[in-house]
Amino acid sequence: MPHRLESESRKLLGRLREALAAHGEGQARLDKVVQLIADSMLVEVCSIYLFRDDETLELCATMGLRQDAVHQTRMRLGEGLVGRTAKFGRVINTADAPAEKGFRFMPETGEERYSSFCGVPIQRLGEALGVLVVQTKTERKLTQDEVYALEIVAMVIAEMTELGAFVGEGAALSARHQQPVMLRGTVAQEGASEGKVFLHEPRVVVTNPISDDPEKEHDRLVKAIDELRASVDNMLTGARTVDAEQAQVLEAYRMFANSGSWLRRMKADIENGLSAEAAVEKEQSLARTRLSQAGDPYLRERMNDLDDLSNRLLRILTGQGADARADMPDNPILVARNIGPGELLDYGKKLKGIVLEEGSVGSHATIVARAWAIPLIINAQGVTSEALNGDTILVDGEQGIAHLRPDDTVHGAFRDKLAMQTRAQERYASIRDLPATTKCNNTISLQMNAGLIADLPSLAGSGAEGVGLFRTELQFLIRNQMPKRAELSALYSRVINAAGGKRVAFRTLDIGSDKVLPYMKPNDEPNPAMGWRAIRVGLDKPGVLRMQLQALLRATNGGPLAVMFPFITQTREFRDAKAEMDKALAREKKLGHPLPSSLEVGAMLETPSLGFAPDAFFEEVDFLSIGGNDLKQFFFAADRENERVRKRYDTLDVSFLSFIERVVKRCDATGTPVSFCGEDAGRPVEALCFAALGIRNLSMRPASIGPVKHLLRRVDLGEVRKVMDDATANGDQSVRRAVADWLVYQV
């Protein structure tokens, strides 16, 4: 880069630093900034537009346009050249603005005199804050070096906006991270909680974006890069022995860390007047904008790698976030882009809730949150950039809403909701030890789902009669290598002992789809939910299935055992899986190990095909568990990870209920015990309808047992069934409204 431009850029940044350091209001600082830029760039116009809300930009300062247009001229995101610059996060540099696509004339600004236009996004870590614009009367397209200089300035403006240097009157100049924000996401685990934000990856705040000592900043950057490279090399060396997939991710880290072009760009930024930290963040922001718009999913995933690496480098440079967990508040709500099961388990049950920017309803984090019965919201866009450590946050896991820094009205209403839930829990506690016996004298067995040894204390506290589903995959997912048989046997033995004689139904390893083991090569499948998963993996890789069955048999120490195979779609799969159990039994007997006093071998019905299996299947299986979460998505052909269709179809749709009834009748005919397991089993109205269809065993999260039992004990199932039949006869698509209306007058 030409030495003159480097010198001029540093001079301009030096003047900006003086202007920003001077006492005064935010508006006065902005006015000074646009004047300095216009003088330095030899342009007639310099303007700064900032967002007043997510969709609207506002002219906040100008040198050259009419002053009475300031805070009056506004445009929507994507409107005009300014709006397009903000929307697409790209520079628009043209000598003939009126001829440019998307141009919109703003007469109140007096801009008709100016031909050229250069708009540069003001953004920080991919978050659009506004647009910096320069204009000239002559048809002049800025040089590449001049645009680069404006990008440097825009980055400083972004940092100072983040730090509150331009706070003033009006929405566009309001202080960041202080206003109430409501974030909508997807419900992954129901519940409600109030707490303080605890960021999984604390924000690094660059307080010194400008430097007048490039040599010193170069040295700081090089030393930090060396430290970063060494840490990545150390992680990669350790990962090579245990985790091939993680090693591939770390190889990508090392590639970025050793990128000569990345380092050259940051050094150039420093030569132009930025500090080392600001140079790192500038390149991170630009790369994030480019990669986020890439059509290739691989490139978008690399954006996360570059983010992680840049954040590591920033923490090295600033020393911020070195021991973040030491500052965890008493009632932490974890906020993160995403999180793995191992990292989540490290936090323990001290968390009061979780809000993720990404995630899925079937992810490992969701499984752990359900086990802990804490609310979880996923896909809450913008939460990691908006939230600060210590901010008050309300998590509404019923609606999928997080209220950040709520006002008094929202806060009061939410606390009323929590108080009502507390009173309800007190009512449920009073019936904890009573059976779920209806007015018509039918008793429904209510059991709990679990997946961690830490879940088992809930068995007594919730009033559950047993564990209808113990997910065994979590012990595989949280490790970097395959667990040993002895380790699994010891774990399963602790689970059985903790159950205190109550029945525990262990589901064999259910991996694939959205649950991929970190030490197994992932399969790139177009539709993993319907691909190589669960029992299909177990039968194709029988070594793992055999090892797990042997561990379960040994864990009983001569006591009873109930095992079920997931995702059985046809009789042959069950018979093949049962044959593996028979082999494991024969081996244990040959070794002289004690065998279970009783053995139940069941299957999970999660696809419609199994409902039409031959009578022989229902006669051979010891018990059947209807896996409602998967069954519903396959019955309606509606991906439960797709928000556009996930809530489109109702569990109480008459066609779905008629299928459930068909399964119940077939089980009754062969004397096969049947249960319903899944989220819907824990919803009182749904549970009531399942019971009316003849299901006498329901398995759910521990927190749902009280509400379900409370409702069941107050109704007559015969009357519920009549309401359902009448709704069906009337041609209703779903029985939900009819049942809900009937309940109003009954309970």
Side-chain angles (χ1 to χ4, degrees):
M1 182 154 299
H3 176 73
R4 177 184 172 280
L5 180 65
E6 294 172 1
S7 176
E8 290 301 318
S9 178
R10 284 202 299 271
K11 286 180 181 177
L12 173 57
L13 290 182
R15 295 189 194 107
L16 287 177
R17 181 171 58 185
E18 292 173 3
L20 294 170
H23 292 292
E25 299 294 328
Q27 184 65 58
R29 288 197 180 101
L30 272 179
D31 294 340
K32 185 65 175 177
V33 166
V34 293
Q35 180 181 349
L36 287 172
I37 297 172
D39 292 345
S40 177
M41 299 293 295
L42 303 178
V43 294
E44 285 90 359
V45 174
C46 177
S47 306
I48 292 177
Y49 297 80
L50 297 176
F51 278 99
R52 61 177 286 110
D53 57 48
D54 291 341
E55 296 292 327
T56 311
L57 286 151
E58 180 174 299
L59 176 63
C60 291
T62 187
M63 175 68 181
L65 297 182
R66 293 177 56 175
Q67 287 299 313
D68 57 5
V70 174
H71 297 302
Q72 301 302 315
T73 296
R74 295 168 187 171
M75 61 203 69
R76 304 290 290 174
L77 183 64
E79 179 184 4
L81 298 187
V82 174
R84 290 175 64 82
T85 301
K87 181 176 181 178
F88 299 109
R90 293 195 297 263
V91 173
I92 294 180
N93 180 22
T94 177
D96 187 4
E100 190 74 15
K101 179 182 178 181
F103 174 80
R104 184 196 165 194
F105 176 51
M106 308 290 284
E108 72 274 16
T109 66
E111 65 176 350
E112 67 273 8
R113 294 170 292 167
Y114 305 105
S115 298
S116 73
F117 175 96
C118 183
V120 177
I122 300 172
Q123 54 192 0
R124 185 177 186 273
L125 304 182
E127 181 187 7
L129 304 180
V131 179
L132 170 63
V133 175
V134 296
Q135 296 171 273
T136 62
K137 292 180 180 179
T138 59
E139 292 189 359
R140 169 190 168 192
K141 184 174 182 178
L142 297 191
T143 67
Q144 185 176 352
D145 290 341
E146 288 173 322
V147 171
Y148 179 82
L150 284 177
E151 288 179 330
I152 293 280
V153 172
M155 188 272 165
V156 172
I157 294 173
E159 287 301 325
M160 301 314 295
T161 301
E162 176 73 11
L163 293 172
F166 306 126
V167 173
E169 295 183 6
L173 297 186
S174 62
R176 289 174 56 76
H177 310 298
Q178 293 185 22
Q179 304 301 314
V181 178
M182 184 181 76
L183 298 156
R184 289 190 177 275
T186 302
V187 176
Q189 168 60 29
E190 297 169 350
S193 63
E194 174 187 352
K196 299 293 184 181
V197 168
F198 182 73
L199 293 170
H200 179 56
E201 293 182 341
R203 297 167 66 94
V204 174
V205 179
V206 178
T207 57
N208 57 331
I210 302 171
S211 172
D212 54 7
D213 191 345
E215 186 174 344
K216 176 183 176 183
E217 296 304 307
H218 277 156
D219 290 343
R220 293 181 62 234
L221 178 65
V222 170
K223 288 178 182 178
I225 286 280
D226 288 342
E227 185 177 338
L228 176 69
R229 288 170 176 170
S231 68
V232 172
D233 287 342
N234 290 337
M235 288 189 292
L236 189 55
T237 301
R240 276 206 177 102
T241 61
V242 295
D243 187 347
E245 184 184 350
Q246 186 186 20
Q248 292 177 1
V249 174
L250 292 175
E251 283 286 8
Y253 275 22
R254 185 158 69 176
M255 178 188 72
F256 280 127
N258 288 278
S259 169
S261 60
W262 186 44
L263 182 58
R264 281 194 300 274
R265 288 194 301 271
M266 290 189 290
K267 285 184 174 180
D269 295 335
I270 289 172
E271 286 296 331
N272 281 283
L274 292 185
S275 66
E277 295 94 325
V280 173
E281 197 161 276
K282 173 180 175 291
E283 295 307 319
Q284 182 183 7
S285 291
L286 292 176
R288 205 175 203 286
T289 300
R290 289 194 299 269
L291 292 175
S292 65
Q293 296 170 355
D296 188 341
Y298 175 82
L299 291 177
R300 289 199 299 271
E301 185 62 30
R302 298 288 71 78
M303 176 181 71
N304 293 335
D305 295 340
L306 183 58
D307 265 351
D308 290 340
L309 201 67
S310 298
N311 289 336
R312 287 175 184 270
L313 185 55
L314 285 169
R315 283 194 284 271
I316 292 171
L317 283 166
T318 64
Q320 297 176 28
D323 188 18
R325 296 194 185 184
D327 300 322
M328 182 181 286
D330 292 334
N331 52 346
I333 304 291
L334 184 68
V335 171
R337 188 178 70 230
N338 214 335
I339 191 169
E343 294 174 300
L344 186 51
L345 288 169
D346 284 344
Y347 284 108
K349 287 190 172 183
K350 63 176 75 70
L351 297 177
K352 302 301 181 184
I354 307 170
V355 182
L356 300 180
E357 188 141 347
E358 300 174 2
S360 66
V361 294
S363 69
H364 317 144
T366 301
I367 293 171
V368 174
R370 286 175 182 161
W372 288 346
I374 58 175
L376 166 63
I377 295 174
I378 59 175
N379 301 323
Q381 294 299 314
V383 65
T384 55
S385 59
E386 184 62 51
L388 296 179
N389 268 332
D391 280 346
T392 297
I393 185 169
L394 312 176
V395 182
D396 187 341
E398 313 295 332
Q399 304 295 324
I401 294 173
H403 296 279
L404 193 60
R405 302 182 290 271
D407 59 29
D408 291 343
T409 301
V410 172
H411 209 158
F414 194 83
R415 285 186 168 170
D416 289 344
K417 180 176 181 176
L418 291 177
M420 289 176 62
Q421 291 184 348
T422 299
R423 290 193 292 271
Q425 289 298 328
E426 291 171 354
R427 291 198 304 271
Y428 303 149
S430 68
I431 61 172
R432 181 186 60 193
D433 298 324
L434 300 177
T437 302
T438 64
K439 285 185 174 181
C440 53
N441 209 32
N442 282 293
T443 300
I444 314 301
S445 176
L446 303 182
Q447 303 181 49
M448 63 174 271
N449 300 331
L452 299 166
I453 186 68
D455 298 339
L456 274 299
S458 298
L459 193 58
S462 66
E465 297 175 43
V467 179
L469 166 66
F470 190 90
R471 306 179 184 93
T472 61
E473 57 271 8
L474 276 176
Q475 305 310 316
F476 290 78
L477 290 166
I478 62 177
R479 296 167 177 259
N480 287 326
Q481 58 184 340
M482 185 73 72
K484 293 180 172 56
R485 179 175 54 200
E487 295 172 334
L488 290 177
S489 180
L491 170 70
Y492 300 151
S493 181
R494 292 201 301 274
V495 170
I496 292 170
N497 292 336
K502 294 183 177 180
R503 179 178 179 273
V504 179
F506 290 92
R507 181 181 70 188
T508 60
L509 191 59
D510 185 2
I511 57 170
S513 184
D514 52 8
K515 298 187 284 290
V516 180
L517 298 183
Y519 40 86
M520 285 183 68
K521 183 178 180 180
N523 289 288
D524 186 13
E525 297 181 296
N527 192 346
M530 299 177 69
W532 195 59
R533 55 170 293 200
I535 197 60
R536 297 170 179 175
V537 177
L539 294 177
D540 288 352
K541 300 284 186 182
V544 177
L545 178 61
R546 290 169 189 164
M547 182 264 288
Q548 188 178 26
L549 293 176
Q550 290 166 7
L552 286 165
L553 290 169
R554 295 180 187 182
T556 64
N557 197 28
L561 176 63
V563 177
M564 57 183 175
F565 300 113
F567 210 61
I568 297 293
T569 63
Q570 56 185 2
T571 306
R572 190 182 74 178
E573 288 175 337
F574 176 74
R575 287 174 176 167
D576 290 347
K578 181 70 160 52
E580 293 296 337
M581 174 62 86
D582 293 339
K583 292 176 187 176
L585 277 168
R587 175 180 171 81
E588 294 302 294
K589 184 176 181 180
K590 184 177 180 180
L591 292 173
H593 295 157
L595 301 180
S597 57
S598 65
L599 176 62
E600 300 174 77
V601 181
M604 292 202 72
L605 189 154
E606 298 171 276
T607 63
S609 64
L610 199 60
F612 298 93
D615 290 341
F617 167 75
F618 290 89
E619 293 167 353
E620 293 173 28
V621 71
D622 291 330
F623 66 96
L624 196 65
S625 178
I626 299 173
N629 296 343
D630 265 335
L631 176 61
K632 193 165 121 180
Q633 76 166 335
F634 295 129
F635 186 88
F636 290 112
D639 184 357
R640 63 183 176 132
E641 300 292 348
N642 187 334
E643 280 303 298
R644 290 185 176 180
V645 299
R646 187 170 76 94
K647 295 182 179 180
R648 190 184 186 103
Y649 302 99
D650 190 357
T651 304
L652 300 186
D653 185 288
V654 295
S655 58
F656 187 70
L657 292 180
S658 67
F659 177 79
I660 298 295
E661 184 178 24
R662 174 188 174 87
V663 173
V664 172
K665 287 181 177 178
R666 297 200 68 185
C667 288
D668 287 347
T670 56
T672 305
V674 60
S675 64
F676 192 101
C677 172
E679 295 175 34
D680 289 321
R683 297 189 171 110
V685 175
E686 282 86 335
L688 180 63
C689 292
F690 295 150
L693 292 176
I695 294 178
R696 295 295 177 262
N697 295 280
L698 298 170
S699 188
M700 63 200 72
R701 63 187 181 105
S704 296
I705 291 176
V708 170
K709 183 187 290 187
H710 180 259
L711 181 58
L712 287 171
R713 287 176 54 85
R714 303 174 72 182
V715 297
D716 184 311
L717 295 181
E719 295 179 11
V720 177
R721 181 56 192 264
K722 184 179 185 306
V723 173
M724 295 168 63
D725 289 344
D726 289 346
T728 303
N730 290 335
D732 292 356
Q733 184 68 50
S734 168
V735 304
R736 182 176 301 279
R737 175 170 292 182
V739 173
D741 289 345
W742 177 82
L743 283 172
V744 170
Y745 300 100
Q746 302 298 316
V747 297

